[in-house]
Amino acid sequence: MTSSSYQIIVRNLSQTTQYFYLFQKQAAFPSLTNPSVLASSLGCQSVGNYTSSGAQINFGLDRQVYAGALSTTQSAPPSQLIALIALDANTRSIVTKTTAARSITLTTASGSPDNCTSLSLDPLGLSVPAYQSGIPTGAFAMNVPTYTPLPTPELYCGVAALNDDESIILSSFVAPAPNAVLSCVPEQVFFVKTGYQPAGAIVPYDETNAARCDFTTGYASFTVTYNANGTFLVTGGP
């Protein structure tokens, strides 16, 4: 682990192999009224009993905050996009998605941090961040151009994370309003839960029966122990 990263170690004390997945605390989007905020799994692994095997899961997280965007299109040629197969009872269609991310600085009470990026749609991209006034303290912002939202949203924006393979995952995100400034207040707080939710999968946002790892308290690492009775114990480290 480097000084620029956070770490969450997960140990399983139950007698059965368990899957554990990781997700981030829901971000606030003060520029939107009653937004529907989505969450993604940032990682998922299975592990056996720690006492008998000595095995544990290590989730590594970047301290850097990233702004991210994702665009999806149905029935488009795969081209250089990531192709996902979507199936239902009557159809088989290809859903493609493109993603973009930029490291960004949150607004502070003073100074002129690079707190805002501009979104372009054709092709999808985010500009090099620059300072923009009027962004709330603790937030970053994204200038969203004019576009036509469809019945099913095709554009999402919010907090991003970079996976081990450098793929981009939107951690906490919304369908933005067109021709507007989207502000986002992320928190470096993460949760571990049991269950199989592969990285990038949209998950129900639920903090109950989860291990809370709050890096805003100054800790750089947490050890999460899953007990035999199904409860979690969380211990912070330097």
Side-chain angles (χ1 to χ4, degrees):
M1 182 179 67
T2 68
S3 60
S4 63
S5 66
Y6 296 129
Q7 181 173 243
I8 298 174
I9 298 169
V10 181
R11 294 170 178 168
N12 175 22
L13 296 187
S14 74
Q15 295 305 307
T16 58
T17 298
Q18 299 280 346
Y19 274 98
F20 297 90
Y21 70 95
L22 181 72
F23 63 98
Q24 188 170 8
K25 182 175 178 61
Q26 195 171 74
F29 294 86
S31 58
L32 298 178
T33 302
N34 298 321
S36 178
V37 184
L38 301 173
S40 294
S41 167
L42 298 180
C44 183
Q45 293 289 338
S46 64
V47 69
N49 178 268
Y50 176 74
T51 304
S52 61
S53 69
Q56 62 186 24
I57 301 169
N58 290 62
F59 290 118
L61 297 162
D62 200 330
R63 293 175 189 255
Q64 175 63 55
V65 175
Y66 294 90
L70 180 151
S71 177
T72 65
T73 305
Q74 286 200 343
S75 300
S79 183
Q80 296 178 345
L81 308 178
I82 301 169
L84 304 175
I85 303 300
L87 300 177
D88 62 33
N90 301 309
T91 64
R92 179 182 181 93
S93 62
I94 294 178
V95 178
T96 61
K97 68 177 181 179
T98 53
T99 53
R102 284 284 190 182
S103 60
I104 201 161
T105 306
L106 302 182
T107 305
T108 54
S110 61
S112 303
D114 296 331
N115 62 354
C116 187
T117 180
S118 294
L119 175 68
S120 58
L121 298 179
D122 190 16
L124 184 75
L126 293 170
S127 69
V128 175
Y131 175 69
Q132 183 164 308
S133 61
I135 308 304
T137 299
F140 68 82
M142 188 180 299
N143 292 311
V144 180
T146 298
Y147 75 101
T148 303
L150 299 176
T152 300
E154 289 189 323
L155 179 66
Y156 299 95
C157 300
V159 187
L162 300 184
N163 206 357
D164 288 342
D165 61 3
E166 296 301 313
S167 61
I168 298 168
I169 297 174
L170 292 196
S171 175
S172 187
F173 56 104
V174 295
N179 194 29
V181 178
L182 175 71
S183 57
C184 175
V185 183
E187 289 194 55
Q188 296 288 53
V189 180
F190 299 85
F191 296 90
V192 175
K193 293 195 75 164
T194 57
Y196 178 71
Q197 296 285 0
I202 295 177
V203 298
Y205 186 80
D206 184 6
E207 298 180 12
T208 60
N209 301 319
R212 179 187 174 98
C213 302
D214 186 350
F215 291 103
T216 68
T217 58
Y219 290 118
S221 67
F222 285 92
T223 298
V224 172
T225 302
Y226 183 69
N227 297 308
N229 63 1
T231 62
F232 284 103
L233 174 66
V234 181
T235 305

